[in-house]
Structure formats: structure tokens, C-alpha cells
Amino acid sequence: MTGRVALGIDGTRTIQEGRARDGCGREGNDACLQCNLGDLAFCHGLPEGELRGLMSIQGCVRTTPQDTLFNEGDRATYLYSPLSGAVKIYKLMADGRRQITGFFFRGDLFGFSPNGLHGYTAEAVTAGSLCRFPAAKMELLYPDSPVLAREVLRRSMIKLAHFHEHTLLLGRKSAPEKLASFLLTLSQRAVERGDSASPVLIPMGRSDVADYLGLTIETVSRTLTKFKASGLLELPNPSTVALRDPAALRRIADGGI
Amino acid sequence: MTGRVALGIDGTRTIQEGRARDGCGREGNDACLQCNLGDLAFCHGLPEGELRGLMSIQGCVRTTPQDTLFNEGDRATYLYSPLSGAVKIYKLMADGRRQITGFFFRGDLFGFSPNGLHGYTAEAVTAGSLCRFPAAKMELLYPDSPVLAREVLRRSMIKLAHFHEHTLLLGRKSAPEKLASFLLTLSQRAVERGDSASPVLIPMGRSDVADYLGLTIETVSRTLTKFKASGLLELPNPSTVALRDPAALRRIADGGI
DNA sequence: TCCTTCTATTGATCCAAATCAAAAACAGAC
DNA sequence: GTCTGTTTTTGATTTGGATCAATAGAAGGA
């Protein structure tokens, strides 16, 4: 654990500040030179000058599970890009209903805000570390960093495309279709990060999966059990899924009879 | 009606090309000088030089209801900004289930794509006209048009914020909560465009509303009838809603008991 | 080791919204 | 005006997933 933390009124930890150590890379100066994201990084391939600008404002935080990175309504101070671990973002209703609107892994980028305030809460799913950039300083870079600006726009368009897909899932798919879609997406994103397609790690608990898919934990559990019984997958433990018949899962995900 | 159209295999019209006439403004050169969007336009407030670049690639199309602007999977040739009328975008499943992922009105901007292909179909809800810009030429403008690039990024972040909100609606809200949210959002967007907050025009049919909210037309109709019976609103005709108690609708929308 | 706590699974019952079905309202066309 | 097709509303019934409830695993601590 690194960085000072404070306990919120509900006892959850909130990151105050992070000092870079070991795996997190050093801050500023040469931090980016030690980054191990490779071409996953949104800053990969930036021209020398643009990278220097980014590097000069780069910072780093580490998380342990359930750390809060920021709350809905907070000033949108930073953009984040996980180096390791997983983060979830969610919105809450007054009575406690929760909708998780995204999971972020190694190489992803999040924290965008159109109005200077975060519209959702961000919380660590696992231990990990995140590269971060002051949003205000980032904005100042864009006019002289066309490649960076273009990549940030591209990332936000990718996220928009994800939302279109997820909106279809939430509005029109059945529970089995939702779960099949979710598992395949997790698997595909793992591949994009260079991890294996098939024993897929599900770093989040059932309740996170349920709140992401608009279901309850019971329905998530029952549906996975049914998939297992049909030979579509194996569950050596609750957080590991071996996809035994990805093609069949694909058909289910797409609503193919 | 303007522009050449072709009939698709299903008999729906598809816009091939649009030539500007009357209300649509002329193409190129001075087209933007005749634009009546004012500060609603994403290009409002651009410096002289940036505006000239945009104007040189600007075009215009007119629509009649149900015209298809583009289909899911089409090359993402243009960005669109409605001058009048309304447009819906949606995704379809193989068995015909449909999820509308957005409605666009005067001043909005849509057609973004991260990969050169549209991830959804766009179809006119009403007659109207749209300003449009070749996406490829638009991209070429960004490096030398920092204000434009920044505004396009801001628009895409606004859209992301809408999606976070809509994801909560689809995943966790009840039918009355969905309808109340929808009506209030329509009303608020009308105000932003300079229209009245209360008799709100609902330009789309019940089936579009249902497919946007993840409901059926019967549930939409029943819920509106119940709102009417509770004195929350009046429905002089199916496409006009007078909000009689917006505060109560707000409480319902937010899940307040 | 056992105990406690948390998470996941399984079972029984219920209900909000879907589906099936019909009537009513509306918009054009003539 | 009437006729025709479409959209909206209302009614009856069904059902997928939620809720309520209990059990079974895992993980951590003493």
C-alpha cells in the first residue's frame, strides 16, 4: 500500500494522494519511459514533444480493493489509466440501487467529464496501480498536441461504441443473453490486453456483475450454473471461467434461437 | 422534398444525396452564414479561419419521416447536425428486437465512429434538414482547428454523460421511473433549444419511446395513462404532453418513494 | 485447529412488465 | 362525409426475473 488514505464516513478508504514506488513507476520526468503498457497506452506512439508534455504532468496512484478514486459530484481533477488491476465506475440512486456503467483494465482510459464534475463514482475492484493526469493541464496540452488530442477523441468514441452495445444489452437482452455477452466481452478484452481468451479471470464479484448487467446476484449465479450444466463453460472457482463452447455462447449472446 | 432517394428492399427510403434548397441553406461558401442554429451549433464561436475550413466541407440533407440516413455497418462517411426535425439511432438484433440508443434534435451532433463504420442505424423521426460534414475531411481539420477539435471532444463527452444516465435508467429503473425521466429529459432539452418546457412535443411514436426505454408500447401507454389519472400530466393528443406537476415527476424519476 | 464473516449457490414464492387479444382513436385517401 | 389502415389505449393472462429464505463454500483471524 502506498499513499495516504482517509476513512470515509462509511468506513471505505478514499485515496488522498499517491506517491510512486516500485511497480507504479516514478512520477514525472522519466516515469513514462518505465511504463510497461506498450501499445496499450493511449500515449503510445506520441511524437517526442507531445510525450514530454504528458510526462511532465503524469502521476500515479495505487489501490487496494474498494478504494474510492473519486465520487459522483467530485471535481473532475484527473484522467486515469490503469497499469494493473481493475476499476469499476457506477451511479447510485437515493434508495441504494446501483448501476455499474463500466469496468476498466490495464491500458483503458477514464475520468472524462464535459462539465468539470464526475458523473459517477470510481472504485477499485482489485489491488493495482493507475497512471493519472490532471484534467485541466491535459486540456492545455491539446492545442499543441494534435496526436494526443486525436487519440483522446478516439478513445472517447470507442467508449461511445461500447455504450451503444451495452444499451442494447440492458434494454433488450434476456438474462442468458446478457451473461453470454458479458463473458465474451471479458474474454475479448483479455485477449486485447495480451491475456488468454479462455480461462478468463472475473475479478469482480457476483454483485458487481449483477449491477453491471441490470440483474440480481441470484440470477447471475443461476444463469452461470445453467451454462455450466449445458457444458458451455466450467467454473473451477467463482472468479475463473473456462469457455468450453464460445461459438454457442456467441449465438446465445446475439439472440440466435 | 429534396435530394435523390432510392427505395431499399424493404421499401424504406434511403437518402443518396442532398442538394440544398430553401430552408436547408446553401452548400459550401456562405452556407454557415445563413445557419439559424445560433449558439446551439457546435461550430458557434469558432475563430474565422476554423469556420472557413468547416464551411468549405459543409453539406446539407433533408428528410421525410422514416428516411434512413445510414445503416449499421455502413462506412461512416458523414457527421450530422440537425437544423430542424428529429432523428433516432438504433441497433437491431437478428430476431428484430430493437434498441433505440438516442434521439437527436436541432443543434445536436451525431455520427461519430471510432473505426470508420457506423455501429447503429440512423433514421428520421420527422421531416427536417441536417447539416453534414464528411468525417474524413473533418479529421483533417482538427490539427489546425484546436477550438473545433476541443468542441467535438466536448460534445462526445456530453454524449458519454448521457449514456451513463441512460444506462442507470435501463438497468435499474422501473417503468414509471423510466417514463418520468424520459419526459423530464425531453422537456429539459426543449428548453435548451429555446422551446417551451411544458407543453412538450413528443415527435416519436409509442413504439420509439418503448424501444428507447426498454419497455413495450403497452407499458408506455398504460404508464402515461396512470400519470394522467394522477394529475401529473395531460395528454391533449398522443404527441403532446403538458407537465402538470414536474416536481412530482422528478421525485418519481429519481426513485424517491 | 475452529470460529466468524463474507460470498456464492440453490430453493420457493411473488410480482412488474411482457404477451396475447380486442377495442378505440386517429389520419389519410377518396 | 365514409372507408381503410395505422396507432394508441385498454383488458386478460402469462412469465422471466426479483424477492425472500436458507444452505454451502471460501477466506481470514485467533
Side-chain angles (χ1 to χ4, degrees):
Chain A
M1 246 297 302
T2 312
R4 294 199 290 281
V5 298
L7 290 183
I9 49 171
D10 57 349
T12 58
R13 296 156 21 94
T14 298
I15 288 194
Q16 298 286 37
E17 189 180 353
R19 286 287 172 239
R21 301 223 187 102
D22 45 280
C24 200
R26 285 182 263 167
E27 297 226 349
N29 302 358
D30 55 352
C32 294
L33 305 175
Q34 304 189 7
C35 166
N36 64 356
L37 285 181
D39 57 9
L40 290 179
F42 74 99
C43 49
H44 174 79
L46 284 190
E48 182 66 20
E50 298 194 20
L51 185 60
R52 230 187 344 259
L54 250 195
M55 220 186 300
S56 73
I57 63 173
Q58 177 273 348
C60 189
V61 287
R62 302 184 135 243
T63 62
T64 57
Q66 285 136 54
D67 280 353
T68 298
L69 289 166
F70 53 78
N71 282 290
E72 183 171 349
D74 282 357
R75 294 290 324 259
T77 318
Y78 295 103
L79 287 188
Y80 294 88
S81 185
L83 299 167
S84 64
V87 171
K88 67 191 173 205
I89 62 177
Y90 58 85
K91 288 178 78 79
L92 286 174
M93 291 176 67
D95 60 3
R97 275 176 285 173
R98 184 180 69 153
Q99 178 65 43
I100 293 181
T101 57
F103 292 110
F104 298 98
F105 306 101
R106 186 175 156 68
D108 289 335
L109 183 65
F110 68 95
F112 297 112
S113 163
N115 63 0
L117 300 179
H118 285 301
Y120 44 83
T121 298
E123 190 179 308
V125 172
T126 67
S129 57
L130 300 92
C131 195
R132 73 178 185 190
F133 304 88
K137 291 185 181 173
M138 197 85 168
E139 300 247 322
L140 296 176
L141 294 179
Y142 296 149
D144 297 316
S145 303
V147 183
L148 171 66
R150 185 202 162 87
E151 177 63 11
V152 170
L153 177 60
R154 198 183 69 89
R155 292 284 187 136
S156 92
M157 294 194 304
I158 289 174
K159 208 157 295 306
L160 279 174
H162 285 162
F163 267 118
H164 278 99
E165 202 60 59
H166 200 57
T167 295
L168 175 64
L169 179 150
L170 288 172
R172 289 298 179 220
K173 291 193 179 181
S174 69
E177 289 164 358
K178 287 176 173 181
L179 258 298
S181 303
F182 176 68
L183 294 175
L184 289 172
T185 301
L186 264 195
S187 170
Q188 187 201 316
R189 289 178 73 180
V191 169
E192 285 165 9
R193 296 194 303 274
D195 295 338
S196 86
S198 184
V200 188
L201 182 69
I202 311 199
M204 64 295 287
R206 295 291 181 267
S207 122
D208 282 351
V209 175
D211 283 348
Y212 182 63
L213 299 177
L215 298 171
T216 58
I217 54 177
E218 292 95 331
T219 300
V220 170
S221 183
R222 273 186 248 275
T223 306
L224 288 176
T225 302
K226 243 172 264 172
F227 283 172
K228 189 168 63 172
S230 318
L232 296 172
L233 50 80
E234 278 165 50
L235 281 164
N237 63 65
S239 59
T240 308
V241 183
L243 308 180
R244 283 287 156 253
D245 193 345
L249 284 172
R250 176 84 277 153
R251 283 192 295 276
I252 293 173
D254 293 342
I257 353 75
Chain B
M1 244 295 302
T2 311
R4 292 199 293 278
V5 297
L7 291 182
I9 48 170
D10 56 352
T12 58
R13 296 154 23 93
T14 299
I15 288 193
Q16 297 288 37
E17 187 181 353
R19 286 286 174 239
R21 299 218 190 109
D22 45 279
C24 200
R26 284 181 265 168
E27 299 225 346
N29 303 357
D30 55 354
C32 294
L33 306 176
Q34 304 189 5
C35 166
N36 65 356
L37 285 181
D39 58 7
L40 290 179
F42 76 98
C43 51
H44 175 78
L46 285 189
E48 182 66 21
E50 299 195 20
L51 185 59
R52 233 190 338 262
L54 250 195
M55 219 186 303
S56 73
I57 63 173
Q58 176 273 347
C60 188
V61 287
R62 302 184 136 244
T63 62
T64 56
Q66 285 138 54
D67 280 354
T68 297
L69 289 166
F70 52 79
N71 282 290
E72 183 171 349
D74 282 357
R75 293 291 324 261
T77 318
Y78 295 104
L79 287 187
Y80 295 87
S81 185
L83 298 168
S84 65
V87 170
K88 67 192 173 203
I89 61 177
Y90 59 84
K91 289 179 75 80
L92 288 173
M93 293 177 66
D95 60 3
R97 274 175 286 173
R98 184 179 69 152
Q99 178 65 42
I100 292 181
T101 57
F103 292 110
F104 298 98
F105 306 101
R106 186 174 155 69
D108 289 335
L109 183 66
F110 69 94
F112 296 112
S113 164
N115 62 359
L117 299 180
H118 284 302
Y120 45 83
T121 298
E123 190 179 309
V125 171
T126 67
S129 58
L130 300 94
C131 196
R132 72 179 186 190
F133 304 88
K137 292 186 179 171
M138 196 87 169
E139 300 247 321
L140 296 176
L141 293 179
Y142 296 148
D144 296 317
S145 304
V147 183
L148 172 67
R150 185 203 164 86
E151 177 63 12
V152 169
L153 176 60
R154 198 183 68 89
R155 293 283 188 136
S156 94
M157 293 193 305
I158 289 175
K159 209 159 294 306
L160 279 174
H162 284 161
F163 267 120
H164 278 99
E165 201 60 58
H166 201 59
T167 295
L168 174 64
L169 179 149
L170 288 173
R172 288 299 179 220
K173 290 192 179 182
S174 68
E177 289 163 357
K178 287 176 173 181
L179 258 299
S181 305
F182 176 68
L183 294 176
L184 289 171
T185 302
L186 265 195
S187 170
Q188 187 201 316
R189 289 178 73 180
V191 168
E192 286 165 8
R193 295 194 304 276
D195 294 339
S196 86
S198 182
V200 187
L201 183 69
I202 311 197
M204 64 294 286
R206 295 292 181 267
S207 123
D208 283 351
V209 175
D211 283 348
Y212 181 62
L213 299 178
L215 297 172
T216 58
I217 54 177
E218 293 95 330
T219 299
V220 169
S221 182
R222 273 187 249 276
T223 305
L224 288 177
T225 302
K226 244 172 263 170
F227 283 173
K228 190 168 62 171
S230 318
L232 297 172
L233 50 80
E234 277 165 52
L235 280 165
N237 63 68
S239 60
T240 307
V241 184
L243 307 181
R244 284 284 157 252
D245 193 344
L249 283 172
R250 176 83 278 154
R251 283 192 296 276
I252 294 173
D254 292 342
I257 357 76

